[in-house]
Amino acid sequence: MVATVLALGACAAAGAAPAGPVRPGIDVLLTDSIGLVRGKSVGLVTNQTGVDRSGVSDVERLRAAGVRLVALFSPEHGFRGAAAPGAAVSSTVDSATGLPIYSLYGRTSAPTDSMLQGIDVMLVDLQDAGARYYTYLATTVNVIRSAGRHGIPVVVLDRPDPIGGKVQGNVLDTAYSSAVGLLAVPMRHGMTLGELTLLAVSDLKLNGKVSVVPVSGWRREMTFDQTGLPFILPSPNLQSLEALFHYPGLCLFEGTALSVGRGTPHAFEMIGAPWLDTTAVLARLRAAQIPGVSFHGQTFRPRQPGDGKFADTLVNGIRLEVTNRSMYDPTATAVQLLTAVQAVHPDRIGWRTGAFDRLAGGPGLREAVVAGTDPARIIGSWRGPLDRFLARRRPFLLY
């Protein structure tokens, strides 16, 4: 595998001091690295998040720069980012440019030979969510595999990790690798999509030529609201930075009978069910004195399109609010929540075993919660694998 890291205009070395405003990879490409696409026929994998620092779309920027853009490709949720989670998306034509938009989340999850015909280089520009469960890395890997068979280089235009560089949660068992957990990384990995791609190149022994154009001016401790970049929903149910901070933990509840608030303005900021005894669960959470987060009871009524759980039904819920980002661990908080709900409602938590274990990176977490294991012991068991992950990822860090 030939993996090339381009660091033009960016702080490419971990710990290097950034200079100037934060600029995503598309800005760096067009100002410092235009030679990668000049005179070539270009395919672009992107969605609504593919914009420059001013919010102008990649498609518009590339065409204005004279880049010969010949095809567009879209991930889960489609090119406009409006499709429901898990919904198959059909290929179509972009009405503004007449370019084909090939869906990589429908009949095929990877570009076919005919889709790649006539393309000299593939660009990937997708905003990751900072959590292991997101499918955009799997899409990127599928693009690299397909492009590699045709000798087409892939260039990832990097973007910040929106919730910063903290690393938290358990490390996935690769026996449970899937599109919602492709690599042996923690629930909150603290990496950008570009860095994850380089790790995937190594772990999966991918063939081809892969380059990453890094973000300029970003430091790993910076969260998205410190970048000055426009916040665009990475997917329909991640509607705020607050939701993104909770997502590495609360996404686990997708594998239970409880709602995570899909179909409301506060998805992934709360959990609930009509039968949930919020008083009893809240008492356990408050007794645990979980740092960096507060809890309060809140009823909500999920609307369609949601997740199919309790649609148009009044739900008893628990809302989470980050009070201290530096202290908050959404993955440890999720363990406390799961343990509390299991203790109060052991017959109603409704483990969806296959789905939960895929998200949790194996059956261990579910089995420990069901067995009544102390949350501190569960969380403490993650320390060794996390330390090994931190060492393993070090060669692939760009910031």
Side-chain angles (χ1 to χ4, degrees):
M1 174 69 200
V2 180
T4 305
V5 180
L6 299 181
L8 301 174
C11 54
V22 176
R23 296 186 300 148
I26 181 64
D27 286 295
V28 177
L29 174 79
L30 293 177
T31 55
D32 301 345
S33 317
I34 192 67
L36 290 171
V37 292
R38 182 182 288 121
K40 298 177 181 178
S41 296
V42 176
L44 172 64
V45 186
T46 194
N47 58 9
Q48 75 287 351
T49 64
V51 298
D52 69 5
R53 179 174 170 79
S54 299
V56 180
S57 76
D58 287 8
V59 174
E60 187 174 338
R61 284 296 312 274
L62 289 165
R63 285 164 62 89
V67 175
R68 190 163 64 247
L69 197 58
V70 298
L72 305 172
F73 299 79
S74 65
E76 183 180 7
H77 308 297
F79 186 69
R80 307 295 176 193
V89 178
S90 299
S91 296
T92 185
V93 174
D94 180 32
S95 58
T97 63
L99 294 172
I101 303 176
Y102 297 118
S103 172
L104 302 182
Y105 203 86
R107 290 186 177 181
T108 180
S109 60
T112 64
D113 293 349
S114 61
M115 293 176 186
L116 292 173
Q117 190 171 2
I119 292 177
D120 299 319
V121 60
M122 289 286 286
L123 301 180
V124 178
D125 190 359
L126 299 167
Q127 176 62 65
D128 189 69
R132 183 176 70 207
Y133 324 113
Y134 232 48
T135 60
Y136 293 169
L137 175 62
T139 296
T140 303
V141 167
N142 288 339
V143 168
I144 292 169
R145 284 177 168 145
S146 293
R149 288 195 293 270
H150 294 269
I152 301 171
V154 176
V155 179
V156 177
L157 307 180
D158 214 5
R159 292 186 172 274
D161 183 320
I163 54 176
K166 284 187 175 294
V167 177
Q168 297 163 328
N170 72 350
V171 175
L172 176 137
D173 176 350
T174 54
Y176 290 83
S177 178
S178 72
V180 292
L182 193 64
L183 303 178
V185 303
M187 297 165 176
R188 183 179 180 182
H189 47 66
M191 299 173 74
T192 67
L193 182 62
E195 293 172 325
L196 287 169
T197 299
L198 296 177
L199 181 62
V201 165
S202 175
D203 281 7
L204 304 178
K205 297 178 172 55
L206 303 178
N207 294 314
K209 182 178 180 182
V210 179
S211 304
V212 177
V213 177
V215 186
S216 172
W218 184 71
R219 298 188 306 273
R220 193 170 301 280
E221 67 270 19
M222 293 172 68
T223 56
F224 202 85
D225 52 353
Q226 298 171 321
T227 65
L229 300 176
F231 180 79
I232 298 172
L233 275 60
S235 54
N237 285 287
L238 289 173
Q239 302 177 49
S240 66
L241 189 57
E242 176 81 9
L244 284 166
F245 270 99
H246 297 302
Y247 184 67
L250 291 194
C251 187
L252 292 169
F253 279 86
E254 301 261 58
T256 72
L258 286 85
S259 169
V260 295
R262 288 186 184 274
T264 78
H266 300 290
F268 295 105
E269 297 177 32
M270 53 191 179
I271 55 101
W275 40 260
L276 185 67
D277 184 343
T278 55
T279 300
V281 173
L282 282 169
R284 289 175 174 271
L285 293 174
R286 288 167 179 156
Q289 297 183 322
I290 304 167
V293 63
S294 65
F295 307 89
H296 63 267
Q298 178 172 323
T299 58
F300 59 94
R301 191 182 299 271
R303 304 291 186 185
Q304 294 291 4
D307 56 9
K309 296 178 180 176
F310 317 123
D312 298 313
T313 301
L314 190 64
V315 170
N316 299 321
I318 294 174
R319 179 91 174 264
L320 285 68
E321 182 179 355
V322 178
T323 57
N324 187 321
R325 290 180 181 175
S326 65
M327 297 177 66
Y328 181 47
D329 184 340
T331 66
T333 300
V335 173
Q336 296 280 2
L337 263 172
L338 287 164
T339 301
V341 175
Q342 171 71 26
V344 175
H345 298 289
D347 299 323
R348 305 197 76 170
I349 190 170
W351 298 98
R352 300 178 175 185
T353 303
F356 187 91
D357 292 357
R358 278 193 299 276
L359 292 168
L365 174 55
R366 174 181 51 81
E367 291 170 351
V369 172
V370 170
T373 307
D374 183 82
R377 183 177 173 187
I378 297 173
I379 296 159
S381 71
W382 299 344
R383 188 67 263 164
L386 277 173
D387 287 342
R388 290 190 289 275
F389 166 75
L390 289 171
R392 185 170 65 87
R393 75 168 189 164
R394 194 171 296 127
F396 309 103
L397 298 182
L398 304 176
Y399 312 93

